[in-house]
Amino acid sequence: MTEAELANVIQGRPDFDVIAGWVQPGERVLDLGCGDGSMLRGLIDTRGVLGWGVELDDAKVLAAIRNGVNVIQGDLEGGLADFEDGAFHHVILSLTLQAMRHTETIINEMLRVGREAVVSFPNFGYWQHRQAILNGHMPVSESLPHQWYNTPNVRFFTIADFDDFCAERGILVRERKVFDNGREITEEHNFLGSIGVYRLGRPR
Amino acid sequence: MTSRDNGIGIVKAARARFEAPFALASGGTLPGFELVYETYGKLNAAKNNAILICHALSGHHHVAGHYADNPKNVGWWDNMIGPGRPIDTDRFFVVGVNNLGGCHGSTGPSSINPATGKPWGADFPVVTVTDWVSAQALLADRLGIAQWAATVGGSLGGMQAMQWTMQFPERVRHALVIAAAPNLTAENIAFNEVARQAILTDAEYKAGRRPVTGLRLARMLGHITYLSDDQMAEKFGRKRRPGSGSYGFGVEFEVESYLNYQGDKFAEWFDADTYLRMTKALDYFDPAAETGGNLQAALARAKARFLVVSFSTDWRFSPQRSREIVDALVHNGQDVAYAEIKSVHGHDSFLMQDAHYHAIMRAYLDGVLP
């Protein structure tokens, strides 16, 4: 991957740097909803991981094959039954959780087939989103770019909601990073952060 | 663009003779044999652009183009192979071969048995996918191909493409395994057995003559399993033949007419002893049998990267069977891409011209040249 191409990946994926920092060379990585495979391509080229992706959409599967990525066409809503327990070091779900119906199933499945799950999502509690609601409109922003009538998102939740979700289910939050337009946020995460990136595991 | 649109144009078959006795998986030995094959495109100087096309049950070496003396005899995968087509003969050297035991010119039941001076017929040994791959390897040696850029096939051909990666791991860089399975299900073997019984119980076959009735029935049954329910509903529905009678047993529904036609056409030219052997090769194929039923262990030998393709309405070789191959490869940490193509054409989809299917093949093959 050229530097320009990598820059494109990073621009399209604000969580790329964080995720790249969490994976190690030689690790097995599964990217769920891998799209055109550019994040995987980036992780393979810059971090030397062994990568596979899952994608449902025909056009994206084709694009991922063009990118030379190990893409497997399949539907995440059905879970990850085809993969074995602990088959991967990291299972990534980047900016996709909010577009899935079976939230709990997919998180459980990620922690079954992977030793760690990496999840990123747009924070509905971001101050600009709250402001939009106060002004009487559904939020539209860089992290929630769609209109209410054409959004693929079906679950709207905040960083605080997701923290509660993990705590209630005994899911260990090993690390959490929060960003606002690419800038890391160090306080008032649920108010100032537009995207949360989590490294999850099961307590040993 | 005219020549491109017309495909590769005129092609010629060639023949290779192998004199050495050839040991078979069944324990038998063939006293030498011949393979008939075709090649398209040019083998490059590095000899690393060769693609082997493996054929399915009724296929053969005539994969693309047409013959000078018979322009209507177009290769069975002509929509896939040619200049500018997904398997691009401007870039790749493509080899099509008729398998051992076939009835299109390679040594098979209709060849002369040197021991008797008469056609082998029913005495021709049973051949397996591993035998075919061994024979194809001898042809590769003859053509100066140490390593295939890719082995490609659909259905029984996909099984060969996959078998190559396990039998000769160093000799395959990529395997394109289409509408295939790691082995046949009991239901699948059952269909094959009914087809074989149609031939074996035909009085003509027992008398050493051509079992036209049996071949017809075998093909009609097989043909049903290659199509999908949806496609049959769309193509025929409950339509009747105009002017056909009723309350009798003549050909009345369109689907009956179609199947009878397919059976007649096939029985005219296909060899019954070849049909018996092709279905047996399908039934016996089971690479995981050598590793205690563990497909992962069987595929672990492979060094190739894989593209696995299945079709949504294929119930004879269902997408789930392809997923078994994919999952075993992922388990092993091997490279594999998998596409499940939406298609109404059932198992036969792998032969059809479909824009997305062809785009997937083209995209994968773009990355195959070093």
Side-chain angles (χ1 to χ4, degrees), chain A residues 28 52 58 61-62 65-66 68-73 82-84 88, chain B residues 296 305 320 323 327 331 333-340 342 356 359:
Chain A
R28 291 188 185 188
W52 293 265
D58 281 348
V61 168
L62 176 60
I65 288 176
R66 282 209 184 99
V69 161
N70 291 325
V71 63
I72 296 161
Q73 189 160 25
D82 288 309
F83 299 111
E84 294 177 349
F88 302 94
Chain B
Q296 298 164 349
R305 304 183 62 164
Q320 196 49 44
R323 270 308 292 260
D327 296 341
H331 168 89
Q334 290 164 292
D335 286 317
V336 56
Y338 170 65
E340 183 182 322
K342 293 169 194 77
H356 179 60

PDB file of all heavy atoms in Angstrom, chain A residues 28 52 58 61-62 65-66 68-73 82-84 88, chain B residues 296 305 320 323 327 331 333-340 342 356 359:
ATOM      1  N   ARG A  28      -3.584 -13.223  14.077  1.00  0.00           N
ATOM      2  CA  ARG A  28      -4.728 -13.470  13.200  1.00  0.00           C
ATOM      3  C   ARG A  28      -5.836 -12.478  13.542  1.00  0.00           C
ATOM      4  O   ARG A  28      -6.254 -12.392  14.695  1.00  0.00           O
ATOM      5  CB  ARG A  28      -5.248 -14.877  13.407  1.00  0.00           C
ATOM      6  CG  ARG A  28      -4.280 -15.931  12.904  1.00  0.00           C
ATOM      7  CD  ARG A  28      -4.946 -17.274  12.957  1.00  0.00           C
ATOM      8  NE  ARG A  28      -4.004 -18.316  12.598  1.00  0.00           N
ATOM      9  CZ  ARG A  28      -4.352 -19.575  12.418  1.00  0.00           C
ATOM     10  NH1 ARG A  28      -5.609 -19.932  12.565  1.00  0.00           N
ATOM     11  NH2 ARG A  28      -3.457 -20.473  12.088  1.00  0.00           N
ATOM     12  N   TRP A  52      -8.416 -11.747   7.747  1.00  0.00           N
ATOM     13  CA  TRP A  52      -9.607 -12.191   7.014  1.00  0.00           C
ATOM     14  C   TRP A  52     -10.716 -11.196   7.298  1.00  0.00           C
ATOM     15  O   TRP A  52     -10.744 -10.589   8.384  1.00  0.00           O
ATOM     16  CB  TRP A  52     -10.065 -13.592   7.459  1.00  0.00           C
ATOM     17  CG  TRP A  52      -9.098 -14.667   7.083  1.00  0.00           C
ATOM     18  CD1 TRP A  52      -9.126 -15.468   5.983  1.00  0.00           C
ATOM     19  CD2 TRP A  52      -7.916 -15.046   7.801  1.00  0.00           C
ATOM     20  NE1 TRP A  52      -8.043 -16.307   5.976  1.00  0.00           N
ATOM     21  CE2 TRP A  52      -7.278 -16.069   7.080  1.00  0.00           C
ATOM     22  CE3 TRP A  52      -7.319 -14.601   8.990  1.00  0.00           C
ATOM     23  CZ2 TRP A  52      -6.097 -16.670   7.495  1.00  0.00           C
ATOM     24  CZ3 TRP A  52      -6.139 -15.199   9.407  1.00  0.00           C
ATOM     25  CH2 TRP A  52      -5.538 -16.222   8.665  1.00  0.00           C
ATOM     26  N   ASP A  58     -22.374  -7.475  -2.113  1.00  0.00           N
ATOM     27  CA  ASP A  58     -21.699  -7.965  -3.327  1.00  0.00           C
ATOM     28  C   ASP A  58     -20.612  -7.019  -3.824  1.00  0.00           C
ATOM     29  O   ASP A  58     -19.492  -7.437  -4.120  1.00  0.00           O
ATOM     30  CB  ASP A  58     -22.717  -8.157  -4.461  1.00  0.00           C
ATOM     31  CG  ASP A  58     -23.526  -9.442  -4.326  1.00  0.00           C
ATOM     32  OD1 ASP A  58     -23.154 -10.284  -3.488  1.00  0.00           O
ATOM     33  OD2 ASP A  58     -24.527  -9.577  -5.051  1.00  0.00           O
ATOM     34  N   VAL A  61     -17.629  -6.984  -1.530  1.00  0.00           N
ATOM     35  CA  VAL A  61     -16.850  -8.227  -1.639  1.00  0.00           C
ATOM     36  C   VAL A  61     -15.951  -8.159  -2.869  1.00  0.00           C
ATOM     37  O   VAL A  61     -14.758  -8.488  -2.816  1.00  0.00           O
ATOM     38  CB  VAL A  61     -17.793  -9.460  -1.711  1.00  0.00           C
ATOM     39  CG1 VAL A  61     -17.029 -10.713  -2.119  1.00  0.00           C
ATOM     40  CG2 VAL A  61     -18.490  -9.673  -0.366  1.00  0.00           C
ATOM     41  N   LEU A  62     -16.533  -7.693  -3.962  1.00  0.00           N
ATOM     42  CA  LEU A  62     -15.751  -7.555  -5.201  1.00  0.00           C
ATOM     43  C   LEU A  62     -14.581  -6.593  -4.989  1.00  0.00           C
ATOM     44  O   LEU A  62     -13.439  -6.885  -5.378  1.00  0.00           O
ATOM     45  CB  LEU A  62     -16.667  -7.066  -6.325  1.00  0.00           C
ATOM     46  CG  LEU A  62     -16.001  -6.766  -7.668  1.00  0.00           C
ATOM     47  CD1 LEU A  62     -15.326  -8.004  -8.237  1.00  0.00           C
ATOM     48  CD2 LEU A  62     -17.029  -6.226  -8.668  1.00  0.00           C
ATOM     49  N   ILE A  65     -11.867  -8.216  -2.966  1.00  0.00           N
ATOM     50  CA  ILE A  65     -11.079  -9.163  -3.768  1.00  0.00           C
ATOM     51  C   ILE A  65     -10.104  -8.390  -4.651  1.00  0.00           C
ATOM     52  O   ILE A  65      -8.944  -8.771  -4.797  1.00  0.00           O
ATOM     53  CB  ILE A  65     -12.012 -10.093  -4.588  1.00  0.00           C
ATOM     54  CG1 ILE A  65     -12.685 -11.093  -3.631  1.00  0.00           C
ATOM     55  CG2 ILE A  65     -11.238 -10.832  -5.675  1.00  0.00           C
ATOM     56  CD1 ILE A  65     -13.702 -12.007  -4.265  1.00  0.00           C
ATOM     57  N   ARG A  66     -10.557  -7.266  -5.196  1.00  0.00           N
ATOM     58  CA  ARG A  66      -9.640  -6.406  -5.967  1.00  0.00           C
ATOM     59  C   ARG A  66      -8.481  -5.939  -5.101  1.00  0.00           C
ATOM     60  O   ARG A  66      -7.361  -5.778  -5.583  1.00  0.00           O
ATOM     61  CB  ARG A  66     -10.384  -5.172  -6.502  1.00  0.00           C
ATOM     62  CG  ARG A  66     -11.217  -5.463  -7.700  1.00  0.00           C
ATOM     63  CD  ARG A  66     -11.362  -4.238  -8.614  1.00  0.00           C
ATOM     64  NE  ARG A  66     -12.261  -4.609  -9.700  1.00  0.00           N
ATOM     65  CZ  ARG A  66     -13.555  -4.302  -9.721  1.00  0.00           C
ATOM     66  NH1 ARG A  66     -14.081  -3.569  -8.757  1.00  0.00           N
ATOM     67  NH2 ARG A  66     -14.309  -4.707 -10.708  1.00  0.00           N
ATOM     68  N   GLY A  68      -7.094  -7.631  -2.948  1.00  0.00           N
ATOM     69  CA  GLY A  68      -6.276  -8.789  -2.601  1.00  0.00           C
ATOM     70  C   GLY A  68      -6.449  -9.244  -1.169  1.00  0.00           C
ATOM     71  O   GLY A  68      -5.542  -9.826  -0.575  1.00  0.00           O
ATOM     72  N   VAL A  69      -7.633  -8.992  -0.610  1.00  0.00           N
ATOM     73  CA  VAL A  69      -7.881  -9.301   0.797  1.00  0.00           C
ATOM     74  C   VAL A  69      -8.662 -10.614   0.894  1.00  0.00           C
ATOM     75  O   VAL A  69      -9.445 -10.951   0.017  1.00  0.00           O
ATOM     76  CB  VAL A  69      -8.680  -8.122   1.428  1.00  0.00           C
ATOM     77  CG1 VAL A  69      -9.371  -8.551   2.700  1.00  0.00           C
ATOM     78  CG2 VAL A  69      -7.755  -6.946   1.680  1.00  0.00           C
ATOM     79  N   ASN A  70      -8.422 -11.346   1.981  1.00  0.00           N
ATOM     80  CA  ASN A  70      -9.168 -12.582   2.245  1.00  0.00           C
ATOM     81  C   ASN A  70     -10.575 -12.256   2.727  1.00  0.00           C
ATOM     82  O   ASN A  70     -10.849 -12.259   3.926  1.00  0.00           O
ATOM     83  CB  ASN A  70      -8.470 -13.399   3.330  1.00  0.00           C
ATOM     84  CG  ASN A  70      -7.157 -13.981   2.867  1.00  0.00           C
ATOM     85  OD1 ASN A  70      -7.024 -14.354   1.703  1.00  0.00           O
ATOM     86  ND2 ASN A  70      -6.201 -14.060   3.765  1.00  0.00           N
ATOM     87  N   VAL A  71     -11.463 -11.964   1.797  1.00  0.00           N
ATOM     88  CA  VAL A  71     -12.825 -11.598   2.193  1.00  0.00           C
ATOM     89  C   VAL A  71     -13.731 -12.824   2.088  1.00  0.00           C
ATOM     90  O   VAL A  71     -13.625 -13.615   1.153  1.00  0.00           O
ATOM     91  CB  VAL A  71     -13.368 -10.434   1.333  1.00  0.00           C
ATOM     92  CG1 VAL A  71     -13.461 -10.832  -0.136  1.00  0.00           C
ATOM     93  CG2 VAL A  71     -14.744  -9.982   1.830  1.00  0.00           C
ATOM     94  N   ILE A  72     -14.580 -12.992   3.074  1.00  0.00           N
ATOM     95  CA  ILE A  72     -15.517 -14.112   3.094  1.00  0.00           C
ATOM     96  C   ILE A  72     -16.920 -13.541   3.089  1.00  0.00           C
ATOM     97  O   ILE A  72     -17.289 -12.787   3.997  1.00  0.00           O
ATOM     98  CB  ILE A  72     -15.283 -14.981   4.343  1.00  0.00           C
ATOM     99  CG1 ILE A  72     -13.886 -15.598   4.271  1.00  0.00           C
ATOM    100  CG2 ILE A  72     -16.352 -16.052   4.481  1.00  0.00           C
ATOM    101  CD1 ILE A  72     -13.376 -16.073   5.594  1.00  0.00           C
ATOM    102  N   GLN A  73     -17.689 -13.872   2.048  1.00  0.00           N
ATOM    103  CA  GLN A  73     -19.023 -13.293   1.960  1.00  0.00           C
ATOM    104  C   GLN A  73     -19.956 -13.980   2.944  1.00  0.00           C
ATOM    105  O   GLN A  73     -20.090 -15.203   2.939  1.00  0.00           O
ATOM    106  CB  GLN A  73     -19.569 -13.411   0.541  1.00  0.00           C
ATOM    107  CG  GLN A  73     -20.858 -12.627   0.355  1.00  0.00           C
ATOM    108  CD  GLN A  73     -21.152 -12.326  -1.104  1.00  0.00           C
ATOM    109  OE1 GLN A  73     -20.701 -13.032  -1.999  1.00  0.00           O
ATOM    110  NE2 GLN A  73     -21.915 -11.270  -1.342  1.00  0.00           N
ATOM    111  N   ASP A  82     -19.649 -20.213  11.754  1.00  0.00           N
ATOM    112  CA  ASP A  82     -18.695 -20.944  10.932  1.00  0.00           C
ATOM    113  C   ASP A  82     -17.265 -20.873  11.474  1.00  0.00           C
ATOM    114  O   ASP A  82     -16.406 -21.616  11.022  1.00  0.00           O
ATOM    115  CB  ASP A  82     -18.716 -20.400   9.495  1.00  0.00           C
ATOM    116  CG  ASP A  82     -20.000 -20.810   8.782  1.00  0.00           C
ATOM    117  OD1 ASP A  82     -20.313 -22.015   8.807  1.00  0.00           O
ATOM    118  OD2 ASP A  82     -20.683 -19.938   8.234  1.00  0.00           O
ATOM    119  N   PHE A  83     -17.024 -19.971  12.432  1.00  0.00           N
ATOM    120  CA  PHE A  83     -15.666 -19.839  12.955  1.00  0.00           C
ATOM    121  C   PHE A  83     -15.545 -20.528  14.311  1.00  0.00           C
ATOM    122  O   PHE A  83     -16.474 -20.533  15.113  1.00  0.00           O
ATOM    123  CB  PHE A  83     -15.284 -18.361  13.073  1.00  0.00           C
ATOM    124  CG  PHE A  83     -15.311 -17.636  11.764  1.00  0.00           C
ATOM    125  CD1 PHE A  83     -16.281 -16.675  11.503  1.00  0.00           C
ATOM    126  CD2 PHE A  83     -14.388 -17.921  10.778  1.00  0.00           C
ATOM    127  CE1 PHE A  83     -16.324 -16.016  10.293  1.00  0.00           C
ATOM    128  CE2 PHE A  83     -14.415 -17.259   9.558  1.00  0.00           C
ATOM    129  CZ  PHE A  83     -15.390 -16.303   9.313  1.00  0.00           C
ATOM    130  N   GLU A  84     -14.360 -21.066  14.551  1.00  0.00           N
ATOM    131  CA  GLU A  84     -14.134 -21.825  15.787  1.00  0.00           C
ATOM    132  C   GLU A  84     -13.788 -20.916  16.958  1.00  0.00           C
ATOM    133  O   GLU A  84     -13.299 -19.797  16.771  1.00  0.00           O
ATOM    134  CB  GLU A  84     -12.988 -22.808  15.559  1.00  0.00           C
ATOM    135  CG  GLU A  84     -13.355 -23.874  14.545  1.00  0.00           C
ATOM    136  CD  GLU A  84     -12.193 -24.802  14.258  1.00  0.00           C
ATOM    137  OE1 GLU A  84     -11.067 -24.486  14.674  1.00  0.00           O
ATOM    138  OE2 GLU A  84     -12.441 -25.834  13.623  1.00  0.00           O
ATOM    139  N   PHE A  88      -9.104 -16.417  16.381  1.00  0.00           N
ATOM    140  CA  PHE A  88      -8.421 -15.167  16.027  1.00  0.00           C
ATOM    141  C   PHE A  88      -7.893 -14.473  17.279  1.00  0.00           C
ATOM    142  O   PHE A  88      -8.438 -14.631  18.368  1.00  0.00           O
ATOM    143  CB  PHE A  88      -9.386 -14.223  15.299  1.00  0.00           C
ATOM    144  CG  PHE A  88      -9.965 -14.820  14.058  1.00  0.00           C
ATOM    145  CD1 PHE A  88     -11.193 -15.479  14.103  1.00  0.00           C
ATOM    146  CD2 PHE A  88      -9.283 -14.764  12.854  1.00  0.00           C
ATOM    147  CE1 PHE A  88     -11.723 -16.070  12.966  1.00  0.00           C
ATOM    148  CE2 PHE A  88      -9.807 -15.347  11.713  1.00  0.00           C
ATOM    149  CZ  PHE A  88     -11.039 -16.005  11.761  1.00  0.00           C
TER     150      PHE A  88
ATOM    151  N   GLN B 296      -9.454 -29.969   7.603  1.00  0.00           N
ATOM    152  CA  GLN B 296      -8.418 -28.975   7.930  1.00  0.00           C
ATOM    153  C   GLN B 296      -7.032 -29.582   7.738  1.00  0.00           C
ATOM    154  O   GLN B 296      -6.153 -28.981   7.120  1.00  0.00           O
ATOM    155  CB  GLN B 296      -8.581 -28.506   9.375  1.00  0.00           C
ATOM    156  CG  GLN B 296      -9.913 -27.819   9.637  1.00  0.00           C
ATOM    157  CD  GLN B 296     -10.229 -27.712  11.118  1.00  0.00           C
ATOM    158  OE1 GLN B 296      -9.565 -28.325  11.956  1.00  0.00           O
ATOM    159  NE2 GLN B 296     -11.233 -26.924  11.454  1.00  0.00           N
ATOM    160  N   ARG B 305      -3.143 -20.104  -2.648  1.00  0.00           N
ATOM    161  CA  ARG B 305      -4.225 -19.241  -2.168  1.00  0.00           C
ATOM    162  C   ARG B 305      -5.495 -19.681  -2.894  1.00  0.00           C
ATOM    163  O   ARG B 305      -5.433 -20.185  -4.013  1.00  0.00           O
ATOM    164  CB  ARG B 305      -3.921 -17.777  -2.490  1.00  0.00           C
ATOM    165  CG  ARG B 305      -2.591 -17.306  -1.936  1.00  0.00           C
ATOM    166  CD  ARG B 305      -2.386 -15.838  -2.226  1.00  0.00           C
ATOM    167  NE  ARG B 305      -3.433 -15.060  -1.560  1.00  0.00           N
ATOM    168  CZ  ARG B 305      -3.369 -13.748  -1.355  1.00  0.00           C
ATOM    169  NH1 ARG B 305      -2.328 -13.061  -1.793  1.00  0.00           N
ATOM    170  NH2 ARG B 305      -4.345 -13.120  -0.744  1.00  0.00           N
ATOM    171  N   GLN B 320     -23.231 -23.975   1.653  1.00  0.00           N
ATOM    172  CA  GLN B 320     -22.706 -24.445   2.936  1.00  0.00           C
ATOM    173  C   GLN B 320     -21.546 -25.424   2.757  1.00  0.00           C
ATOM    174  O   GLN B 320     -20.609 -25.443   3.553  1.00  0.00           O
ATOM    175  CB  GLN B 320     -23.835 -25.081   3.757  1.00  0.00           C
ATOM    176  CG  GLN B 320     -23.512 -25.259   5.231  1.00  0.00           C
ATOM    177  CD  GLN B 320     -22.940 -24.001   5.899  1.00  0.00           C
ATOM    178  OE1 GLN B 320     -23.436 -22.892   5.689  1.00  0.00           O
ATOM    179  NE2 GLN B 320     -21.869 -24.159   6.672  1.00  0.00           N
ATOM    180  N   ARG B 323     -18.582 -23.417   2.163  1.00  0.00           N
ATOM    181  CA  ARG B 323     -18.130 -22.811   3.419  1.00  0.00           C
ATOM    182  C   ARG B 323     -17.264 -23.775   4.229  1.00  0.00           C
ATOM    183  O   ARG B 323     -16.366 -23.363   4.954  1.00  0.00           O
ATOM    184  CB  ARG B 323     -19.330 -22.363   4.271  1.00  0.00           C
ATOM    185  CG  ARG B 323     -19.806 -20.942   4.034  1.00  0.00           C
ATOM    186  CD  ARG B 323     -18.726 -19.900   4.116  1.00  0.00           C
ATOM    187  NE  ARG B 323     -18.148 -19.676   5.425  1.00  0.00           N
ATOM    188  CZ  ARG B 323     -18.463 -18.674   6.239  1.00  0.00           C
ATOM    189  NH1 ARG B 323     -19.352 -17.799   5.889  1.00  0.00           N
ATOM    190  NH2 ARG B 323     -17.840 -18.529   7.387  1.00  0.00           N
ATOM    191  N   ASP B 327     -13.897 -22.549   5.712  1.00  0.00           N
ATOM    192  CA  ASP B 327     -13.659 -22.551   7.153  1.00  0.00           C
ATOM    193  C   ASP B 327     -12.422 -23.367   7.520  1.00  0.00           C
ATOM    194  O   ASP B 327     -11.674 -23.002   8.433  1.00  0.00           O
ATOM    195  CB  ASP B 327     -14.894 -23.084   7.887  1.00  0.00           C
ATOM    196  CG  ASP B 327     -16.103 -22.182   7.684  1.00  0.00           C
ATOM    197  OD1 ASP B 327     -15.904 -21.013   7.304  1.00  0.00           O
ATOM    198  OD2 ASP B 327     -17.240 -22.643   7.882  1.00  0.00           O
ATOM    199  N   HIS B 331      -9.253 -21.772   9.375  1.00  0.00           N
ATOM    200  CA  HIS B 331      -8.741 -22.435  10.575  1.00  0.00           C
ATOM    201  C   HIS B 331      -7.223 -22.630  10.476  1.00  0.00           C
ATOM    202  O   HIS B 331      -6.488 -22.443  11.449  1.00  0.00           O
ATOM    203  CB  HIS B 331      -9.421 -23.788  10.764  1.00  0.00           C
ATOM    204  CG  HIS B 331      -8.759 -24.660  11.790  1.00  0.00           C
ATOM    205  ND1 HIS B 331      -9.107 -24.624  13.126  1.00  0.00           N
ATOM    206  CD2 HIS B 331      -7.735 -25.556  11.684  1.00  0.00           C
ATOM    207  CE1 HIS B 331      -8.338 -25.467  13.795  1.00  0.00           C
ATOM    208  NE2 HIS B 331      -7.501 -26.049  12.950  1.00  0.00           N
ATOM    209  N   GLY B 333      -5.196 -20.855   8.868  1.00  0.00           N
ATOM    210  CA  GLY B 333      -4.479 -19.602   8.613  1.00  0.00           C
ATOM    211  C   GLY B 333      -4.088 -19.436   7.157  1.00  0.00           C
ATOM    212  O   GLY B 333      -3.135 -18.735   6.840  1.00  0.00           O
ATOM    213  N   GLN B 334      -4.834 -20.100   6.245  1.00  0.00           N
ATOM    214  CA  GLN B 334      -4.502 -20.025   4.814  1.00  0.00           C
ATOM    215  C   GLN B 334      -5.313 -18.917   4.137  1.00  0.00           C
ATOM    216  O   GLN B 334      -6.362 -18.509   4.624  1.00  0.00           O
ATOM    217  CB  GLN B 334      -4.779 -21.394   4.166  1.00  0.00           C
ATOM    218  CG  GLN B 334      -3.785 -22.453   4.618  1.00  0.00           C
ATOM    219  CD  GLN B 334      -4.252 -23.869   4.311  1.00  0.00           C
ATOM    220  OE1 GLN B 334      -5.220 -24.354   4.893  1.00  0.00           O
ATOM    221  NE2 GLN B 334      -3.563 -24.540   3.403  1.00  0.00           N
ATOM    222  N   ASP B 335      -4.786 -18.474   3.009  1.00  0.00           N
ATOM    223  CA  ASP B 335      -5.425 -17.374   2.286  1.00  0.00           C
ATOM    224  C   ASP B 335      -6.609 -17.876   1.481  1.00  0.00           C
ATOM    225  O   ASP B 335      -6.464 -18.782   0.658  1.00  0.00           O
ATOM    226  CB  ASP B 335      -4.422 -16.707   1.345  1.00  0.00           C
ATOM    227  CG  ASP B 335      -3.422 -15.852   2.113  1.00  0.00           C
ATOM    228  OD1 ASP B 335      -3.856 -15.139   3.036  1.00  0.00           O
ATOM    229  OD2 ASP B 335      -2.222 -15.911   1.797  1.00  0.00           O
ATOM    230  N   VAL B 336      -7.767 -17.252   1.699  1.00  0.00           N
ATOM    231  CA  VAL B 336      -8.954 -17.637   0.939  1.00  0.00           C
ATOM    232  C   VAL B 336      -9.913 -16.458   0.841  1.00  0.00           C
ATOM    233  O   VAL B 336     -10.109 -15.724   1.801  1.00  0.00           O
ATOM    234  CB  VAL B 336      -9.662 -18.851   1.590  1.00  0.00           C
ATOM    235  CG1 VAL B 336     -10.017 -18.597   3.041  1.00  0.00           C
ATOM    236  CG2 VAL B 336     -10.919 -19.244   0.800  1.00  0.00           C
ATOM    237  N   ALA B 337     -10.452 -16.288  -0.358  1.00  0.00           N
ATOM    238  CA  ALA B 337     -11.573 -15.353  -0.542  1.00  0.00           C
ATOM    239  C   ALA B 337     -12.777 -16.195  -0.946  1.00  0.00           C
ATOM    240  O   ALA B 337     -12.629 -17.231  -1.599  1.00  0.00           O
ATOM    241  CB  ALA B 337     -11.248 -14.324  -1.612  1.00  0.00           C
ATOM    242  N   TYR B 338     -13.957 -15.755  -0.511  1.00  0.00           N
ATOM    243  CA  TYR B 338     -15.166 -16.543  -0.772  1.00  0.00           C
ATOM    244  C   TYR B 338     -16.291 -15.627  -1.218  1.00  0.00           C
ATOM    245  O   TYR B 338     -16.585 -14.631  -0.558  1.00  0.00           O
ATOM    246  CB  TYR B 338     -15.584 -17.291   0.492  1.00  0.00           C
ATOM    247  CG  TYR B 338     -16.956 -17.934   0.392  1.00  0.00           C
ATOM    248  CD1 TYR B 338     -17.188 -18.950  -0.509  1.00  0.00           C
ATOM    249  CD2 TYR B 338     -18.011 -17.514   1.194  1.00  0.00           C
ATOM    250  CE1 TYR B 338     -18.449 -19.545  -0.611  1.00  0.00           C
ATOM    251  CE2 TYR B 338     -19.271 -18.099   1.104  1.00  0.00           C
ATOM    252  CZ  TYR B 338     -19.482 -19.111   0.190  1.00  0.00           C
ATOM    253  OH  TYR B 338     -20.718 -19.694   0.088  1.00  0.00           O
ATOM    254  N   ALA B 339     -16.907 -15.961  -2.329  1.00  0.00           N
ATOM    255  CA  ALA B 339     -18.067 -15.208  -2.806  1.00  0.00           C
ATOM    256  C   ALA B 339     -19.231 -16.159  -3.015  1.00  0.00           C
ATOM    257  O   ALA B 339     -19.063 -17.240  -3.595  1.00  0.00           O
ATOM    258  CB  ALA B 339     -17.743 -14.492  -4.109  1.00  0.00           C
ATOM    259  N   GLU B 340     -20.401 -15.767  -2.503  1.00  0.00           N
ATOM    260  CA  GLU B 340     -21.619 -16.534  -2.753  1.00  0.00           C
ATOM    261  C   GLU B 340     -22.463 -15.725  -3.727  1.00  0.00           C
ATOM    262  O   GLU B 340     -22.980 -14.668  -3.384  1.00  0.00           O
ATOM    263  CB  GLU B 340     -22.380 -16.780  -1.443  1.00  0.00           C
ATOM    264  CG  GLU B 340     -23.620 -17.640  -1.661  1.00  0.00           C
ATOM    265  CD  GLU B 340     -24.423 -17.863  -0.376  1.00  0.00           C
ATOM    266  OE1 GLU B 340     -23.811 -18.024   0.696  1.00  0.00           O
ATOM    267  OE2 GLU B 340     -25.660 -17.856  -0.470  1.00  0.00           O
ATOM    268  N   LYS B 342     -25.460 -14.636  -6.088  1.00  0.00           N
ATOM    269  CA  LYS B 342     -26.914 -14.798  -6.194  1.00  0.00           C
ATOM    270  C   LYS B 342     -27.239 -15.177  -7.633  1.00  0.00           C
ATOM    271  O   LYS B 342     -26.905 -14.446  -8.561  1.00  0.00           O
ATOM    272  CB  LYS B 342     -27.614 -13.484  -5.824  1.00  0.00           C
ATOM    273  CG  LYS B 342     -27.453 -13.122  -4.371  1.00  0.00           C
ATOM    274  CD  LYS B 342     -27.914 -11.705  -4.082  1.00  0.00           C
ATOM    275  CE  LYS B 342     -27.423 -11.264  -2.721  1.00  0.00           C
ATOM    276  NZ  LYS B 342     -25.974 -10.898  -2.738  1.00  0.00           N
ATOM    277  N   HIS B 356     -21.692 -10.241 -12.196  1.00  0.00           N
ATOM    278  CA  HIS B 356     -21.005 -10.192 -10.899  1.00  0.00           C
ATOM    279  C   HIS B 356     -20.047 -11.375 -10.727  1.00  0.00           C
ATOM    280  O   HIS B 356     -18.906 -11.204 -10.279  1.00  0.00           O
ATOM    281  CB  HIS B 356     -22.032 -10.160  -9.765  1.00  0.00           C
ATOM    282  CG  HIS B 356     -21.420 -10.123  -8.411  1.00  0.00           C
ATOM    283  ND1 HIS B 356     -20.578  -9.101  -8.006  1.00  0.00           N
ATOM    284  CD2 HIS B 356     -21.467 -10.994  -7.367  1.00  0.00           C
ATOM    285  CE1 HIS B 356     -20.165  -9.346  -6.765  1.00  0.00           C
ATOM    286  NE2 HIS B 356     -20.675 -10.492  -6.363  1.00  0.00           N
ATOM    287  N   ALA B 359     -17.108 -10.742 -12.757  1.00  0.00           N
ATOM    288  CA  ALA B 359     -16.290  -9.663 -12.168  1.00  0.00           C
ATOM    289  C   ALA B 359     -15.443 -10.204 -11.014  1.00  0.00           C
ATOM    290  O   ALA B 359     -14.278  -9.831 -10.854  1.00  0.00           O
ATOM    291  CB  ALA B 359     -17.188  -8.521 -11.684  1.00  0.00           C
TER     292      ALA B 359
END
